[in-house]
Structures are given as C-alpha cells and as structure tokens.
Amino acid sequence: LKLMIDSPHVYLHNFDLAKAANDGLHFGSSVHGREAELQTLRECYQRAISSEFEVAMICGTSGIGKSELSREFARSAKEEGGGGIFLSGRFDKLQSQPLHAISAAFDNYCAWLSEEDRSTAEKVSTALKENMGEEISSLVSAMPNLSHILGDDFDSKQNDTSAVDAQKRLRYLFCRFVEVISKCHEEPLILFL
C-alpha cells in the first residue's frame, strides 16, 4: 500500500476511478484453477443426457467455491448449447426446516415456472394432480410457490404425525415430485445442493 501511495503512476495506469465506480470491476466469469472439476461435471452431464440419471458430488468446506463452480458449470453448459433446468439450494446450519435446501431449490423452480413458462406450468400441474392427488398439498408448506402452479384449490395441509414420520413422508413426496416434473420437461433436471 505504501508503494502505491508513493508511486501511484506505477500502479494505477490510466485508471478512471469514477468509471469503475459506475460500471463496477469485472474480473471475468470463469472459475480459475477448477478446469478439471468443471470437465468432470461436463462429462457427468453428457452421461446424464444419454441415461436415466447421474449423480456427482461437489464436496468441501465452506468458502472454497462449490457454489461458484456449479454456477460456472450451468453458464458454460447453456453457452455450449446444452439444455437443462438448473436448480440450486444451500444447506444452512442455522435452518431448522428439514430438507430446507431441497425445498428452496424446488420452490424457486415453482416460482420460475409460474412466471416464465405458463404452458409447462399447466402441464406440471395436471401431472402432479393426476400422479400425486391430494398428497401434493403436503408439499405446499415446504414450497409455497407450488400453490401458484396448482391453483387455489390446493392449500397446505399439515398431517398429525410424528416429526420422524413427517420427515419420511416429505422425503417420499419430494422423490415423487421429482419423478413427475422430470417427465414434464424434455431437458434434463440438474439439481445443485
């Protein structure tokens, strides 16, 4: 810092601070030093397109760039012409709701679907009602935006069950939900948690 103060002409070459303040600083969108991991995700994606499903885990401690790696993969897949519905959710140690990351990811999906793709939203609504019936109303409390897809006739219902049974039921319903919505899209469903 002392060198920069003493010799600003050496370190601040023709740099317009007012323009940087208005435009912001841009450092590029690629993930540096993670090309191998990005390639592994691309290979998993290609296998997922040609088969039923594929699971890839991005593990590590907080702050090492797992979320940025998944965002970069989604950007590069879309730029390369790969289709897909990219969903993400974060596990939060302070969140007490069971399966919060999954709930958040699918709640965002429901919000996006109800706002951006009304024809598919109607297709999803019909498929959910036909395949899950009244059970789907149990998911509305975990995914409030699901009510925008289902319409006014489906409200959140709470069952009088133990916490363990309720969590097992929620897991089961999420599995059914994924099964149904994945059949309503031609593109693969990619979920980053």
Side-chain angles (χ1 to χ4, degrees):
L1 188 58
K2 174 119 174 70
L3 290 172
M4 287 181 71
I5 292 171
D6 292 342
S7 307
H9 62 282
V10 174
Y11 297 98
L12 301 174
H13 297 284
N14 203 13
F15 190 71
D16 186 356
L17 290 177
K19 184 176 186 300
N22 290 334
D23 296 344
L25 296 174
H26 302 285
F27 296 103
S29 62
S30 66
V31 178
H32 300 287
R34 293 290 189 99
E35 289 78 16
E37 290 87 351
L38 203 52
Q39 183 59 34
T40 300
L41 288 175
R42 286 186 186 116
E43 291 167 5
C44 287
Y45 176 72
Q46 291 302 319
R47 285 191 304 268
I49 291 173
S50 63
S51 69
E52 287 282 321
F53 64 92
E54 180 83 14
V55 175
M57 294 184 68
I58 303 172
C59 302
T61 58
S62 60
I64 64 167
K66 299 179 299 292
S67 296
E68 185 57 34
L69 180 63
S70 65
R71 282 191 291 271
E72 178 61 26
F73 167 71
R75 273 193 297 272
S76 68
K78 287 180 181 179
E79 286 173 4
E80 293 169 6
I85 299 166
F86 295 90
L87 308 174
S88 66
R90 296 179 64 97
F91 286 99
D92 185 358
K93 291 178 185 178
L94 301 176
Q95 182 55 251
S96 62
Q97 180 186 1
L99 305 172
H100 172 72
I102 296 170
S103 297
F106 286 117
D107 192 47
N108 290 338
Y109 161 79
C110 292
W112 167 79
L113 193 61
S114 65
E115 294 171 10
E116 302 294 327
D117 191 352
R118 206 55 219 157
S119 64
T120 304
E122 290 171 12
K123 183 179 176 182
V124 167
S125 175
T126 301
L128 288 170
K129 289 173 184 177
E130 288 175 359
N131 290 287
M132 296 182 72
E134 290 292 319
E135 288 184 318
I136 193 66
S137 62
S138 298
L139 284 178
V140 174
S141 62
M143 302 180 299
N145 286 312
L146 179 58
S147 64
H148 300 300
I149 294 173
L150 297 174
D152 295 332
D153 54 338
F154 278 83
D155 293 322
S156 173
K157 292 183 182 175
Q158 299 294 329
N159 294 330
D160 294 332
T161 59
S162 70
V164 173
D165 290 340
Q167 192 165 357
K168 287 179 183 177
R169 180 175 173 74
L170 192 58
R171 284 184 193 145
Y172 167 75
L173 291 174
F174 272 125
C175 290
R176 293 286 319 275
F177 180 79
V178 170
E179 181 183 356
V180 172
I181 67 169
S182 63
K183 292 177 182 175
C184 294
H185 295 280
E186 292 180 17
E187 306 93 353
L189 182 66
I190 296 115
L191 180 62
F192 287 104
L193 298 174

